[in-house]
Amino acid sequence: MLLRYLFCGGAVPELPEVETVRRGLNRLTLNQKIQGGEVLLDRTIAHPIFVSEFLFGLAETAIAQWHRRGKYLIAELVQDAVAEQSSLFPVPCSLSTTPAGYLGVHLRMTGQLLWVDAAEPVQKHTRVRLFFQGDRELRFVDQRTFGQLWWVPPNYHPEQIITGLQALGPEPFSAGFSVDYFYQQFHSRQRPIKNALLDQRIVAGLGNIYADEALFLSGIHPQTLCSTLTHNQVKLLHSTTLKVLQDSIDANGTTFSSFRSVEGINGNYGGKAWVYGRDGKRCRICETVIERLKMAGRSAHFCPQCQN
């Protein structure tokens, strides 16, 4: 079975797409020993400095669980350890697991993780191969080469090595992401709301697609200044943000070019989008033509009638 996640076509994977990847990896890659690896592009490895140290750190470990933080994937690594045997009560030694650090992955723009048979020909743009028991491989494929991998030693917390984690705001579905928190982030900011929603320091994982969708459902124009939003508007934006993220997770994300879930199913949210990628088409609510404008180097899609 091939686990394939491809992101391209100008879009960047956001929380729902990365969450879909995480769930697929947890279904397929857990508790299987990493027996070795190969790095085909050295700069893909963000830590350690030496590729040999990266591969040595992963060797003979197994993935206990994949986690997601914002748009980062973090694999919790463990290693078998022989339990101490008491001389007073001689019994067969049992195996336990000990922490063995973490494997961090950021897909950036075009990263793929492929879970494949080792006999499958190596795909073009393959950057890293990890060899698992049972003749399986986890391959990192990245056409644009912006993606990164980290090995975090067991005596470090991931945030100490993957420094981008330090700047992330709360997760959207966490207790820390409350309406009051959201309002406090906006009420004194003199910047457009669309730009603020893309700030990972305010909320982790939200990006261009779902910011556009949440603003549409809230009836807020993307150029509206944060400081002009009322508490009720922010409350509505908070709920619509959670709604569009959950809807997309349920639909296995958005297909940018050739996105497949672990079962080989396309991400389905794109066909349900209200405004994202629909410039020139009619609004699903009022029939007004959807427009697009550039804001801080990113596209903003909106309905001029429904959002004002």
Side-chain angles (χ1 to χ4, degrees):
M1 181 185 292
L2 174 64
L3 169 61
R4 185 184 301 273
Y5 297 101
L6 173 60
F7 303 102
C8 55
V12 177
E14 302 178 25
L15 186 154
E17 289 75 48
V18 179
E19 177 64 16
T20 300
V21 173
R22 184 193 71 83
R23 294 181 181 189
L25 291 169
N26 274 337
R27 284 194 294 269
L28 290 178
T29 68
L30 301 189
N31 305 316
Q32 301 175 64
K33 188 171 292 185
I34 300 173
Q35 297 180 322
E38 180 182 20
V39 175
L40 303 176
L41 183 67
D42 286 5
R43 69 171 181 267
T44 301
I45 308 305
H47 188 272
I49 295 175
F50 299 107
V51 165
S52 58
E53 188 177 351
F54 171 83
L55 294 174
F56 181 79
L58 294 177
E60 300 302 308
T61 68
I63 297 171
Q65 193 70 233
W66 284 92
H67 304 278
R68 181 193 53 75
R69 180 70 173 102
K71 301 175 186 179
Y72 291 84
L73 290 162
I74 310 293
E76 184 180 348
L77 304 174
V78 294
Q79 197 163 35
D80 290 339
V82 178
E84 291 186 8
Q85 181 173 317
S86 169
S87 58
L88 296 177
F89 304 98
V91 295
C93 292
S94 61
L95 290 178
S96 62
T97 57
T98 58
Y102 302 87
L103 169 64
V105 181
H106 201 304
L107 302 173
R108 303 297 180 189
M109 293 184 67
T110 58
Q112 299 181 64
L113 287 171
L114 307 178
W115 181 247
V116 299
D117 289 324
E120 180 171 322
V122 176
Q123 293 79 1
K124 187 177 181 181
H125 308 303
T126 298
R127 310 305 180 189
V128 178
R129 303 168 66 192
L130 297 180
F131 310 137
F132 285 72
Q133 64 187 59
D135 294 324
R136 306 294 293 178
E137 290 188 23
L138 183 62
R139 297 177 184 172
F140 183 70
V141 181
D142 185 17
Q143 181 178 357
R144 297 288 295 275
T145 73
F146 294 140
Q148 291 183 302
L149 276 69
W150 296 258
W151 175 64
V152 179
N155 54 328
Y156 286 86
H157 190 276
E159 290 186 355
Q160 294 176 268
I161 302 298
I162 309 172
T163 54
L165 295 171
Q166 299 172 12
L168 294 180
E171 290 289 323
F173 296 103
S174 70
F177 186 64
S178 65
V179 174
D180 287 340
Y181 164 82
F182 217 24
Y183 182 72
Q184 288 298 318
Q185 294 299 310
F186 294 147
H187 81 280
S188 62
R189 292 179 186 267
Q190 299 297 315
R191 66 189 298 197
I193 182 61
K194 172 62 184 291
N195 295 350
L197 288 175
L198 299 183
D199 189 339
Q200 298 299 293
R201 296 169 296 181
I202 294 176
V203 55
L206 190 62
N208 211 38
I209 298 172
Y210 306 107
D212 280 353
E213 296 289 278
L215 288 171
F216 172 79
L217 292 178
S218 304
I220 300 172
H221 193 283
Q223 291 180 316
T224 301
L225 293 181
C226 295
S227 60
T228 67
L229 295 174
T230 67
H231 192 276
N232 283 338
Q233 285 179 303
V234 174
K235 182 178 181 180
L236 179 58
L237 180 58
H238 180 272
S239 65
T240 59
T241 298
L242 296 181
K243 172 178 170 52
V244 297
L245 290 174
Q246 187 61 60
D247 286 350
S248 186
I249 290 171
D250 292 343
N252 294 318
T254 297
T255 296
F256 306 135
S257 178
S258 180
F259 174 76
R260 299 286 195 278
S261 73
V262 64
E263 293 84 10
I265 301 171
N266 278 318
N268 293 318
Y269 184 82
K272 304 174 184 178
W274 294 97
V275 290
Y276 181 81
R278 300 191 67 245
D279 45 303
K281 298 180 180 179
R282 298 286 179 178
C283 174
R284 300 186 192 275
I285 302 297
C286 71
E287 295 293 318
T288 302
V289 174
I290 301 297
E291 297 182 8
R292 180 179 65 174
L293 55 83
K294 284 287 186 179
M295 298 181 64
R298 304 297 298 276
S299 294
H301 304 80
F302 66 99
C303 171
Q305 178 66 30
C306 295
Q307 297 169 256
N308 49 55

